[in-house]
């Protein structure tokens, strides 16, 4: 499971693991992969610094990276309060009515929402980068495509590679033109924000579109044979996210949510705008059904939707309201039916990869 890109980064396996949990990211790097910590939930720079300090102490001098959420175009002078004021009252009432219908309790007086997507905001993301470049990160990934040109240049000045997610060959070519070093071709099957083209089609299209830039395959990958298939399609590695949610190192803060993930099949997800305003694959719940119902008010564009539902999601998670409880996750959830350590996942991936290569050799008559 070695490629030119994995050798360049000094990792044993060309497996890039995206996760919001520092313990999981560190374990991925220790296991021989490349852990990528998601920064979107960090609203305060000192919180990100605290967790990067922790990772520095627990990666055993292995490389790791950071994933941010930044628009390519700068928006000056817009505060979170300005954006909040754009949310229609009718949508606020819809949230209140949906929560009341399911008996979701209020947060305690003075208790702040524990879930808030603000990392998409220009200044929040830039504050994260001010912290990140003080650490020896080796890769900066952006979930919304190419980051602003000055960010790409700043990363390169710090000897940091830049990766950007793409949902089409056209997006991939735009990333290459913007000076991106690695394209993550994320297929329709993936968890979180994703496009409409499946991985089997997208990966070779992206590889051809940006050659010789390296492409990582993402979406619907959770086994060694799928990694082998990605390599056969021209990818120089794989980008895995959902697979780590049921590892023992993941801090989901909800046993009920972990149980839902373990019980879910590959058909139990939906691509919905309910969480952020952009299409994102997640567990299908009565919450996603309510927002996707034509009789409702419909979702708001990003970032309004994320701010609108932030407190509601916190309440649903805190009180573990089963019918509404969900999380971003890809169709690979159907294979996530047991809790395992990150190292055990890697052991399965490497064994499965070896079996797949042997199987191809046998089919081709080369054994």
């Amino acid at each position: 499971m070695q490629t030119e890109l994995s050798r360049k980064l000094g990792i044993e396996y060309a497996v890039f693991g995206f996760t919001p949990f520092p313990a999981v990211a560190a374990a991925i790097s220790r296991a021989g992969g490349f852990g990528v910590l998601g920064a979107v939930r960090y609203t305060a720079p000192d919180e990100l610094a605290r967790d990067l300090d922790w990772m520095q102490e627990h990666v055993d001098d292995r490389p790791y990276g950071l994933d941010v959420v930044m628009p390519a175009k700068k928006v000056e002078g817009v505060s979170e309060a300005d954006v909040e004021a754009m949310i229609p009252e009718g949508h606020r009432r819809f949230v209140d009515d949906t929560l009341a219908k399911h008996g979701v309790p209020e947060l305690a007086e003075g208790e702040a929402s524990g879930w808030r997507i603000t990392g998409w905001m220009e200044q929040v993301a830039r504050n994260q980068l001010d912290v990140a470049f003080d650490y020896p990160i080796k890769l900066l990934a952006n979930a919304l495509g190419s980051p602003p040109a000055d960010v790409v240049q700043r990363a390169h000045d710090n000897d940091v590679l830049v990766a950007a997610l793409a949902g089409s060959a056209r997006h991939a070519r735009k990333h290459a033109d913007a000076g991106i070093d690695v394209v993550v071709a994320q297929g329709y099957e993936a968890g979180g924000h994703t496009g409409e083209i499946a991985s089997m089609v997208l990966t070779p299209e992206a590889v051809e579109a940006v050659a010789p830039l390296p492409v990582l395959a993402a979406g619907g990958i959770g086994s060694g044979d799928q990694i082998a298939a990605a390599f056969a399609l021209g990818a120089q590695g794989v980008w895995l996210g959902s697979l780590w949610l049921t590892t023992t190192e993941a801090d989901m803060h909800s046993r009920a949510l972990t149980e839902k993930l373990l019980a879910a099949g590959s058909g139990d997800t939906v691509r919905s705008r309910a969480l952020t305003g952009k299409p994102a694959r997640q567990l299908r719940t009565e919450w996603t059904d309510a927002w996707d119902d034509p009789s409702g008010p419909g979702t708001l564009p990003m970032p309004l939707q994320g701010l609108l539902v932030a407190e509601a999601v916190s309440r649903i998670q805190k009180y573990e309201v089963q019918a509404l409880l969900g999380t971003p996750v890809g169709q690979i959830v159907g294979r996530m039916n047991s809790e395992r350590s990150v190292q055990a996942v890697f052991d399965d991936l490497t064994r499965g990869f070896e079996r797949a290569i042997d199987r191809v050799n046998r089919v081709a008559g080369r054994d």
Side-chain angles (χ1 to χ4, degrees):
M1 292 168 66
Q2 278 276 319
T3 65
E4 181 181 350
L5 180 61
S6 66
R7 288 188 287 271
K8 181 176 183 177
L9 289 168
I11 57 177
E12 188 174 359
Y13 307 115
V15 174
F16 295 72
F18 164 79
T19 174
F21 307 118
V24 176
I28 291 168
S29 290
R30 290 197 306 272
F34 191 95
V36 181
L37 179 65
V40 71
R41 67 189 182 94
Y42 294 98
T43 57
D46 59 335
E47 294 174 353
L48 178 59
R50 176 201 64 207
D51 282 356
L52 289 176
D53 282 339
W54 186 92
M55 284 190 62
Q56 274 293 105
E57 296 173 1
H58 292 85
V59 294
D60 293 348
D61 294 324
R62 305 292 182 89
Y64 63 92
L66 191 74
D67 179 278
V68 297
V69 179
M70 290 188 77
K73 297 180 181 179
K74 296 180 65 172
V75 180
E76 302 284 359
V78 179
S79 69
E80 185 176 332
D82 294 332
V83 178
E84 288 257 22
M86 302 177 190
I87 298 174
E89 282 303 314
H91 282 74
R92 296 186 187 277
R93 285 195 300 272
F94 181 76
V95 170
D96 292 340
D97 291 345
T98 303
L99 296 178
K101 175 183 176 182
H102 291 274
V104 183
E106 298 274 356
L107 295 176
E109 186 175 351
E111 182 178 359
S113 168
W115 184 94
R116 199 158 185 79
I117 291 185
T118 55
W120 54 266
M121 296 185 71
E122 176 81 11
Q123 193 53 53
V124 173
R126 287 184 177 274
N127 289 342
Q128 293 168 350
L129 295 180
D130 288 340
V131 171
F133 287 128
D134 286 336
Y135 293 82
I137 63 170
K138 298 300 182 185
L139 179 77
L140 174 68
N142 187 32
L144 288 184
S146 304
D150 68 295
V151 172
V152 175
Q153 185 60 55
R154 186 178 178 189
H156 289 164
D157 289 344
N158 283 274
D159 294 323
V160 174
L161 297 180
V162 181
L165 273 66
S168 70
R170 178 176 61 85
H171 292 156
R173 281 190 290 269
K174 288 179 65 176
H175 298 342
D177 292 341
I180 298 304
D181 305 292
V182 181
V183 171
V184 181
Q186 180 161 287
Y188 172 82
E189 309 95 324
H193 295 131
T194 185
E196 299 180 345
I197 304 174
S199 298
M200 181 64 77
V201 174
L202 176 61
T203 302
E205 285 187 351
V207 168
E208 182 178 349
V210 301
L213 281 186
V215 170
L216 301 179
I221 301 172
S223 67
D225 50 359
Q226 290 171 317
I227 295 175
F231 282 18
L233 294 174
Q236 285 205 31
V238 293
W239 178 274
L240 311 182
S242 299
L243 192 63
W244 317 110
L245 293 175
T246 52
T247 56
T248 54
E249 292 90 346
D251 186 10
M252 294 294 289
H253 298 295
S254 171
R255 186 63 204 173
L257 182 52
T258 298
E259 294 291 348
K260 286 190 78 169
L261 288 169
L262 293 171
S266 56
D268 293 329
T269 68
V270 63
R271 189 168 165 270
S272 170
R273 298 177 184 267
L275 191 61
T276 69
K278 282 184 174 290
R281 187 169 297 285
Q282 55 205 279
L283 282 179
R284 182 176 182 177
T285 66
E286 292 189 31
W287 178 256
T288 61
D289 286 348
W291 282 105
D292 295 338
D293 190 330
S295 66
T299 56
L300 297 170
M302 190 181 198
L304 301 181
Q305 183 72 14
L307 292 172
L308 169 65
V309 305
E311 182 179 317
V313 172
S314 287
R315 289 164 60 184
I316 292 166
Q317 291 178 346
K318 176 179 180 178
Y319 299 110
E320 297 188 325
V321 182
Q322 190 72 14
L324 305 180
L325 190 62
T327 186
V329 69
Q331 291 179 334
I332 199 63
V333 71
R335 297 182 69 106
M336 296 158 47
N337 49 24
S338 65
E339 291 181 85
R340 301 174 292 164
S341 68
V342 168
Q343 183 60 62
V345 171
F346 264 87
D347 291 343
D348 285 348
L349 293 177
T350 54
R351 284 193 296 263
F353 181 85
E354 291 170 355
R355 287 194 300 269
I357 297 301
D358 288 343
R359 185 165 57 244
V360 170
N361 285 331
R362 287 196 303 273
V363 170
R366 292 194 296 262
D367 59 347

